[in-house]
Amino acid sequence: MSENCRRLETIMVQGSREKEDIKGAISTPIYQSATFKHHGLNESTGYDYSRSENPTREELENTIAKLEGGKAGFAFSTGMAAIDAVIRLFIPKDHIIVSEDLYGGTYRLFEEIYRRYGIETTYVDTTDIKKVEESIKKNTKAIFIETPSNPMMRITDISKITSLAKAFKILTIVDNTFLSPYFQRPLLLGADIVIHSGTKFLGGHNDTLAGIIVANKFIEEIKFMQVSTGAVLSPFDSWLILRGIKTLAIRLEKQQKNAIKISKWLSECKRVKKVYYPGLKAHKGYDISVKQTTGFGSMISFEVNEREIIEKSLKKFQTIYFAESLGGVESLITYPYIQTHASIPEDIRNRIGIKDTLLRLSVGIENVKDLIEDLDRSLNL
C-alpha cells in the first residue's frame, strides 16, 4: 500500500509522516521552544518563531488535514479561537447563515462580538434546505452549520447545503466536533472549511484545550489570521492532541457502542419524555446520518418529564460526572439550559427545544452497565 493510500486508523496512529524526526523518535517530540536559531543571514531551518511555525504543531496540523481530506490544517489555542479566525475572513455588511441550534459560545461570538463589527447573521433550521435558500441575500457569504447540532442532535444534509452554497457562490463551514473525521468528513461532501473544538473528541481526555481548522479555501488568509492574532496551540498541547488522536478510532467505537445501549435504555425510562440520538431509527435525520457518516457518535440529549427531576438527579450521579464539555473518556452530563447554552435568549432556547427539562450526555468508555445503573439510580428517584 502506498503512503497516499493509508487508511484513517493508520494515519491517526502514525501521523502525517510529512517530516520524519532526524533521531527516529516514534512519538513526535515536543519542541518546547519559543524561537529557533539561524545558521546565518537568510539561512533559516524553516522555523523562526513558534507563533509562526513550530514542528510539533505542524505535525498536528498536517495530520488533521490528512484525516479530514483537506489541503491545510491549523491548530489554535481553543475551539472558539478557531471559529474566530474563520469569522475574520468576513468584512462589515457580510451576511452569514448559521444553524439556529448551535453551541452557546458560538452564538455569543456572533451576537456579542461580531455583530458590533457589522457581520450580519440569520439563524435558520439548516435541516430545512428551503428555509436556508430563502435566507440567502445578495450579501450572503457563507453558511455555518453544526451537524449533529448541539444539543438537539439535528442532522443537516451536508451535500445538499454545499450544492446550494456552490450555486450561490458562497462558502460552507461545518463544525465537525461531535463526530470527528473518524465518523464524518464534511470536506469530502463539498464543504470548504471544517472546524473542531479539539478539546473534545480529538483530545479525548478532558485535559487540554485546542481548536482546529481544516480548509480547502482561504488557506493563506487563515494562516495570516493565525500568525497575526497569535492564538496558536502550544507545543505541549499540540502533542497532547496528537497523542489523543492515536486512540480516536478505538475510543469512538467504544463510546458509540455504549451510547447506542444507553439511548435505548433511556427510551424505555419512564422519567424520560424524549431521547435525541442520531443512532435511533426514530430520530429525525437518521436516514441522512446513515448516508453521510460512518457512525452516530456518542452524544445524547434527553428530555425528562419534570423540571424537578433535574436538580434532584444531578446530585445523585456517582459514575457520570456533572460537568461541562464533552468527548472525553469520562462520561459527562450537562444541563444546557444554564450551562453551555445560557448565552442564547430564553425564547430562542425554548423554541428550538433547549428547555429547562433537557440534559445532554457525553458517553465515555466506562463499563456500560455502570453507566446505566448510575442513570437508573439518579433518574428513577
Short mmCIF file of all heavy atoms in Angstrom, two decimals, residues 253-294:
data_model
loop_
_atom_site.label_atom_id
_atom_site.label_comp_id
_atom_site.label_asym_id
_atom_site.label_seq_id
_atom_site.Cartn_x
_atom_site.Cartn_y
_atom_site.Cartn_z
N GLU A 253 -15.37 4.10 18.79
CA GLU A 253 -16.13 2.86 18.63
C GLU A 253 -16.72 2.41 19.96
O GLU A 253 -17.89 2.02 20.03
CB GLU A 253 -15.22 1.76 18.05
CG GLU A 253 -14.84 1.97 16.59
CD GLU A 253 -16.00 1.75 15.63
OE1 GLU A 253 -17.08 1.29 16.06
OE2 GLU A 253 -15.83 2.04 14.43
N LYS A 254 -15.92 2.47 21.03
CA LYS A 254 -16.40 2.07 22.35
C LYS A 254 -17.47 3.04 22.85
O LYS A 254 -18.50 2.62 23.39
CB LYS A 254 -15.23 2.03 23.33
CG LYS A 254 -15.60 1.83 24.80
CD LYS A 254 -16.29 0.50 25.05
CE LYS A 254 -16.49 0.28 26.54
NZ LYS A 254 -17.24 -0.96 26.84
N GLN A 255 -17.23 4.34 22.68
CA GLN A 255 -18.20 5.33 23.13
C GLN A 255 -19.53 5.18 22.40
O GLN A 255 -20.61 5.30 23.00
CB GLN A 255 -17.63 6.74 22.95
CG GLN A 255 -16.53 7.08 23.95
CD GLN A 255 -15.82 8.38 23.62
OE1 GLN A 255 -15.07 8.45 22.65
NE2 GLN A 255 -16.04 9.41 24.41
N GLN A 256 -19.46 4.95 21.09
CA GLN A 256 -20.68 4.77 20.31
C GLN A 256 -21.43 3.51 20.75
O GLN A 256 -22.67 3.51 20.88
CB GLN A 256 -20.37 4.69 18.82
CG GLN A 256 -21.61 4.43 17.97
CD GLN A 256 -21.31 4.42 16.49
OE1 GLN A 256 -21.70 5.31 15.77
NE2 GLN A 256 -20.59 3.40 16.04
N LYS A 257 -20.70 2.44 20.98
CA LYS A 257 -21.33 1.19 21.43
C LYS A 257 -22.08 1.42 22.73
O LYS A 257 -23.22 0.96 22.90
CB LYS A 257 -20.25 0.12 21.61
CG LYS A 257 -20.78 -1.25 21.97
CD LYS A 257 -19.65 -2.26 22.08
CE LYS A 257 -20.17 -3.64 22.47
NZ LYS A 257 -19.05 -4.62 22.61
N ASN A 258 -21.45 2.15 23.66
CA ASN A 258 -22.12 2.48 24.92
C ASN A 258 -23.34 3.37 24.69
O ASN A 258 -24.39 3.18 25.29
CB ASN A 258 -21.15 3.20 25.86
CG ASN A 258 -20.16 2.25 26.52
OD1 ASN A 258 -20.28 1.03 26.41
ND2 ASN A 258 -19.19 2.81 27.22
N ALA A 259 -23.18 4.36 23.80
CA ALA A 259 -24.25 5.33 23.56
C ALA A 259 -25.49 4.68 22.97
O ALA A 259 -26.63 5.04 23.31
CB ALA A 259 -23.76 6.45 22.63
N ILE A 260 -25.31 3.73 22.07
CA ILE A 260 -26.45 3.03 21.48
C ILE A 260 -27.24 2.31 22.55
O ILE A 260 -28.48 2.38 22.61
CB ILE A 260 -25.97 2.06 20.38
CG1 ILE A 260 -25.45 2.85 19.16
CG2 ILE A 260 -27.09 1.12 19.96
CD1 ILE A 260 -24.78 1.99 18.12
N LYS A 261 -26.54 1.62 23.46
CA LYS A 261 -27.23 0.89 24.53
C LYS A 261 -27.92 1.86 25.48
O LYS A 261 -29.06 1.62 25.92
CB LYS A 261 -26.23 0.02 25.28
CG LYS A 261 -25.70 -1.15 24.47
CD LYS A 261 -24.73 -2.00 25.27
CE LYS A 261 -24.23 -3.18 24.45
NZ LYS A 261 -23.27 -4.01 25.21
N ILE A 262 -27.25 2.96 25.82
CA ILE A 262 -27.83 3.92 26.75
C ILE A 262 -29.03 4.62 26.14
O ILE A 262 -30.05 4.85 26.81
CB ILE A 262 -26.75 4.94 27.19
CG1 ILE A 262 -25.74 4.25 28.10
CG2 ILE A 262 -27.39 6.13 27.91
CD1 ILE A 262 -24.53 5.10 28.42
N SER A 263 -28.96 4.98 24.86
CA SER A 263 -30.08 5.66 24.21
C SER A 263 -31.32 4.77 24.19
O SER A 263 -32.45 5.25 24.37
CB SER A 263 -29.71 6.09 22.79
OG SER A 263 -29.48 4.97 21.95
N LYS A 264 -31.12 3.48 24.01
CA LYS A 264 -32.24 2.55 24.02
C LYS A 264 -32.81 2.42 25.43
O LYS A 264 -34.03 2.35 25.61
CB LYS A 264 -31.80 1.19 23.47
CG LYS A 264 -31.50 1.21 21.98
CD LYS A 264 -31.04 -0.15 21.48
CE LYS A 264 -30.75 -0.11 19.98
NZ LYS A 264 -30.25 -1.41 19.48
N TRP A 265 -31.93 2.40 26.43
CA TRP A 265 -32.40 2.33 27.82
C TRP A 265 -33.18 3.58 28.17
O TRP A 265 -34.25 3.50 28.78
CB TRP A 265 -31.21 2.16 28.76
CG TRP A 265 -31.63 2.03 30.20
CD1 TRP A 265 -31.95 0.89 30.86
CD2 TRP A 265 -31.82 3.11 31.13
NE1 TRP A 265 -32.33 1.17 32.15
CE2 TRP A 265 -32.25 2.53 32.35
CE3 TRP A 265 -31.66 4.49 31.07
CZ2 TRP A 265 -32.53 3.29 33.48
CZ3 TRP A 265 -31.94 5.25 32.19
CH2 TRP A 265 -32.36 4.66 33.38
N LEU A 266 -32.66 4.74 27.80
CA LEU A 266 -33.35 6.00 28.09
C LEU A 266 -34.71 6.04 27.41
O LEU A 266 -35.68 6.61 27.95
CB LEU A 266 -32.50 7.19 27.62
CG LEU A 266 -31.26 7.53 28.45
CD1 LEU A 266 -30.38 8.53 27.71
CD2 LEU A 266 -31.65 8.08 29.82
N SER A 267 -34.81 5.46 26.23
CA SER A 267 -36.09 5.45 25.50
C SER A 267 -37.16 4.66 26.24
O SER A 267 -38.36 4.89 26.04
CB SER A 267 -35.89 4.86 24.10
OG SER A 267 -35.00 5.65 23.35
N GLU A 268 -36.74 3.76 27.12
CA GLU A 268 -37.68 2.94 27.89
C GLU A 268 -37.89 3.48 29.30
O GLU A 268 -38.76 2.97 30.03
CB GLU A 268 -37.17 1.49 27.97
CG GLU A 268 -37.00 0.80 26.62
CD GLU A 268 -38.33 0.63 25.90
OE1 GLU A 268 -39.34 0.39 26.60
OE2 GLU A 268 -38.36 0.74 24.66
N CYS A 269 -37.13 4.48 29.68
CA CYS A 269 -37.19 5.02 31.04
C CYS A 269 -38.46 5.87 31.21
O CYS A 269 -38.73 6.77 30.42
CB CYS A 269 -35.96 5.87 31.34
SG CYS A 269 -35.93 6.58 33.00
N LYS A 270 -39.22 5.59 32.26
CA LYS A 270 -40.49 6.28 32.48
C LYS A 270 -40.31 7.76 32.80
O LYS A 270 -41.22 8.56 32.60
CB LYS A 270 -41.26 5.59 33.60
CG LYS A 270 -41.72 4.18 33.24
CD LYS A 270 -42.50 3.55 34.38
CE LYS A 270 -42.96 2.14 34.01
NZ LYS A 270 -43.70 1.50 35.13
N ARG A 271 -39.15 8.12 33.32
CA ARG A 271 -38.90 9.52 33.68
C ARG A 271 -38.44 10.35 32.48
O ARG A 271 -38.30 11.56 32.60
CB ARG A 271 -37.83 9.58 34.77
CG ARG A 271 -38.25 8.96 36.09
CD ARG A 271 -38.87 9.99 36.98
NE ARG A 271 -39.28 9.45 38.26
CZ ARG A 271 -39.52 10.17 39.34
NH1 ARG A 271 -39.36 11.48 39.28
NH2 ARG A 271 -39.93 9.63 40.46
N VAL A 272 -38.18 9.71 31.37
CA VAL A 272 -37.66 10.39 30.18
C VAL A 272 -38.77 10.56 29.16
O VAL A 272 -39.42 9.60 28.75
CB VAL A 272 -36.47 9.61 29.57
CG1 VAL A 272 -36.02 10.26 28.26
CG2 VAL A 272 -35.31 9.55 30.56
N LYS A 273 -38.96 11.80 28.74
CA LYS A 273 -40.01 12.13 27.79
C LYS A 273 -39.59 11.88 26.35
O LYS A 273 -40.36 11.37 25.53
CB LYS A 273 -40.41 13.59 27.97
CG LYS A 273 -41.57 14.05 27.13
CD LYS A 273 -41.93 15.50 27.44
CE LYS A 273 -43.12 15.98 26.62
NZ LYS A 273 -43.44 17.40 26.95
N LYS A 274 -38.33 12.27 26.02
CA LYS A 274 -37.86 12.11 24.64
C LYS A 274 -36.34 12.00 24.63
O LYS A 274 -35.65 12.64 25.43
CB LYS A 274 -38.30 13.30 23.78
CG LYS A 274 -38.04 13.09 22.29
CD LYS A 274 -38.74 14.13 21.44
CE LYS A 274 -38.55 13.86 19.96
NZ LYS A 274 -39.25 14.84 19.10
N VAL A 275 -35.84 11.19 23.69
CA VAL A 275 -34.40 10.99 23.54
C VAL A 275 -33.96 11.49 22.16
O VAL A 275 -34.61 11.20 21.15
CB VAL A 275 -34.02 9.50 23.69
CG1 VAL A 275 -32.51 9.30 23.51
CG2 VAL A 275 -34.48 8.97 25.04
N TYR A 276 -32.87 12.24 22.13
CA TYR A 276 -32.31 12.75 20.88
C TYR A 276 -30.95 12.10 20.65
O TYR A 276 -29.95 12.45 21.29
CB TYR A 276 -32.16 14.28 20.95
CG TYR A 276 -33.45 15.01 21.25
CD1 TYR A 276 -33.83 15.29 22.55
CD2 TYR A 276 -34.29 15.44 20.21
CE1 TYR A 276 -35.01 15.97 22.83
CE2 TYR A 276 -35.47 16.11 20.48
CZ TYR A 276 -35.83 16.37 21.79
OH TYR A 276 -36.99 17.05 22.07
N TYR A 277 -30.92 11.12 19.77
CA TYR A 277 -29.66 10.43 19.43
C TYR A 277 -29.74 9.99 17.97
O TYR A 277 -30.67 9.28 17.58
CB TYR A 277 -29.42 9.23 20.34
CG TYR A 277 -28.15 8.48 20.00
CD1 TYR A 277 -26.91 9.11 20.10
CD2 TYR A 277 -28.20 7.17 19.54
CE1 TYR A 277 -25.74 8.44 19.76
CE2 TYR A 277 -27.04 6.49 19.21
CZ TYR A 277 -25.81 7.12 19.31
OH TYR A 277 -24.66 6.47 18.97
N PRO A 278 -28.77 10.39 17.15
CA PRO A 278 -28.83 10.08 15.71
C PRO A 278 -28.87 8.60 15.38
O PRO A 278 -29.28 8.22 14.29
CB PRO A 278 -27.55 10.74 15.16
CG PRO A 278 -27.23 11.81 16.14
CD PRO A 278 -27.64 11.28 17.48
N GLY A 279 -28.44 7.76 16.33
CA GLY A 279 -28.41 6.32 16.09
C GLY A 279 -29.73 5.61 16.30
O GLY A 279 -29.84 4.41 16.02
N LEU A 280 -30.73 6.33 16.79
CA LEU A 280 -32.06 5.75 16.93
C LEU A 280 -32.81 5.91 15.62
O LEU A 280 -32.87 7.01 15.06
CB LEU A 280 -32.82 6.44 18.06
CG LEU A 280 -32.29 6.24 19.48
CD1 LEU A 280 -33.06 7.10 20.46
CD2 LEU A 280 -32.38 4.76 19.89
N LYS A 281 -33.42 4.86 15.13
CA LYS A 281 -34.11 4.92 13.85
C LYS A 281 -35.26 5.92 13.86
O LYS A 281 -35.63 6.46 12.82
CB LYS A 281 -34.60 3.54 13.44
CG LYS A 281 -33.47 2.58 13.06
CD LYS A 281 -34.00 1.26 12.55
CE LYS A 281 -32.85 0.34 12.14
NZ LYS A 281 -33.33 -0.97 11.64
N ALA A 282 -35.81 6.17 15.04
CA ALA A 282 -36.91 7.13 15.15
C ALA A 282 -36.44 8.57 15.14
O ALA A 282 -37.24 9.50 15.03
CB ALA A 282 -37.70 6.87 16.44
N HIS A 283 -35.12 8.78 15.22
CA HIS A 283 -34.57 10.14 15.26
C HIS A 283 -34.73 10.82 13.90
O HIS A 283 -34.37 10.26 12.86
CB HIS A 283 -33.09 10.10 15.65
CG HIS A 283 -32.47 11.45 15.84
ND1 HIS A 283 -32.65 12.19 16.98
CD2 HIS A 283 -31.68 12.19 15.03
CE1 HIS A 283 -31.99 13.32 16.88
NE2 HIS A 283 -31.39 13.35 15.70
N LYS A 284 -35.26 12.03 13.91
CA LYS A 284 -35.38 12.78 12.66
C LYS A 284 -33.98 13.05 12.11
O LYS A 284 -33.13 13.60 12.79
CB LYS A 284 -36.12 14.09 12.91
CG LYS A 284 -36.39 14.88 11.65
CD LYS A 284 -37.15 16.16 11.96
CE LYS A 284 -37.42 16.97 10.70
NZ LYS A 284 -38.15 18.23 10.99
N GLY A 285 -33.75 12.66 10.89
CA GLY A 285 -32.43 12.82 10.30
C GLY A 285 -31.61 11.55 10.31
O GLY A 285 -30.47 11.53 9.82
N TYR A 286 -32.18 10.46 10.83
CA TYR A 286 -31.46 9.18 10.88
C TYR A 286 -30.98 8.75 9.49
O TYR A 286 -29.83 8.36 9.31
CB TYR A 286 -32.35 8.11 11.50
CG TYR A 286 -31.77 6.71 11.43
CD1 TYR A 286 -30.87 6.26 12.38
CD2 TYR A 286 -32.13 5.83 10.39
CE1 TYR A 286 -30.33 4.98 12.31
CE2 TYR A 286 -31.61 4.55 10.31
CZ TYR A 286 -30.71 4.13 11.28
OH TYR A 286 -30.18 2.86 11.21
N ASP A 287 -31.86 8.83 8.51
CA ASP A 287 -31.52 8.38 7.15
C ASP A 287 -30.40 9.23 6.56
O ASP A 287 -29.52 8.70 5.86
CB ASP A 287 -32.75 8.43 6.25
CG ASP A 287 -33.79 7.39 6.63
OD1 ASP A 287 -33.41 6.38 7.27
OD2 ASP A 287 -34.98 7.59 6.31
N ILE A 288 -30.42 10.54 6.83
CA ILE A 288 -29.34 11.41 6.34
C ILE A 288 -28.03 11.05 7.03
O ILE A 288 -26.97 10.99 6.39
CB ILE A 288 -29.69 12.89 6.57
CG1 ILE A 288 -30.94 13.27 5.79
CG2 ILE A 288 -28.51 13.79 6.17
CD1 ILE A 288 -31.46 14.66 6.11
N SER A 289 -28.12 10.79 8.30
CA SER A 289 -26.92 10.42 9.05
C SER A 289 -26.29 9.15 8.50
O SER A 289 -25.08 9.06 8.32
CB SER A 289 -27.27 10.24 10.53
OG SER A 289 -26.11 10.02 11.31
N VAL A 290 -27.12 8.17 8.20
CA VAL A 290 -26.62 6.92 7.62
C VAL A 290 -25.93 7.18 6.29
O VAL A 290 -24.90 6.57 5.98
CB VAL A 290 -27.78 5.91 7.44
CG1 VAL A 290 -27.34 4.71 6.61
CG2 VAL A 290 -28.30 5.45 8.81
N LYS A 291 -26.46 8.12 5.53
CA LYS A 291 -25.93 8.42 4.20
C LYS A 291 -24.59 9.13 4.27
O LYS A 291 -23.68 8.85 3.48
CB LYS A 291 -26.93 9.29 3.43
CG LYS A 291 -26.49 9.68 2.03
CD LYS A 291 -27.47 10.62 1.37
CE LYS A 291 -27.46 12.00 2.00
NZ LYS A 291 -28.29 12.99 1.24
N GLN A 292 -24.41 10.07 5.21
CA GLN A 292 -23.23 10.94 5.16
C GLN A 292 -22.18 10.67 6.24
O GLN A 292 -21.12 11.31 6.23
CB GLN A 292 -23.64 12.41 5.22
CG GLN A 292 -24.19 12.88 6.54
CD GLN A 292 -24.69 14.32 6.47
OE1 GLN A 292 -24.93 14.88 5.39
NE2 GLN A 292 -24.86 14.95 7.62
N THR A 293 -22.46 9.72 7.14
CA THR A 293 -21.49 9.43 8.19
C THR A 293 -21.21 7.93 8.24
O THR A 293 -21.93 7.12 7.66
CB THR A 293 -22.00 9.88 9.57
OG1 THR A 293 -23.01 8.98 10.02
CG2 THR A 293 -22.55 11.29 9.54
N THR A 294 -20.17 7.59 8.97
CA THR A 294 -19.86 6.17 9.19
C THR A 294 -20.17 5.76 10.62
O THR A 294 -19.86 4.64 11.04
CB THR A 294 -18.38 5.87 8.88
OG1 THR A 294 -17.55 6.73 9.67
CG2 THR A 294 -18.08 6.09 7.41
#
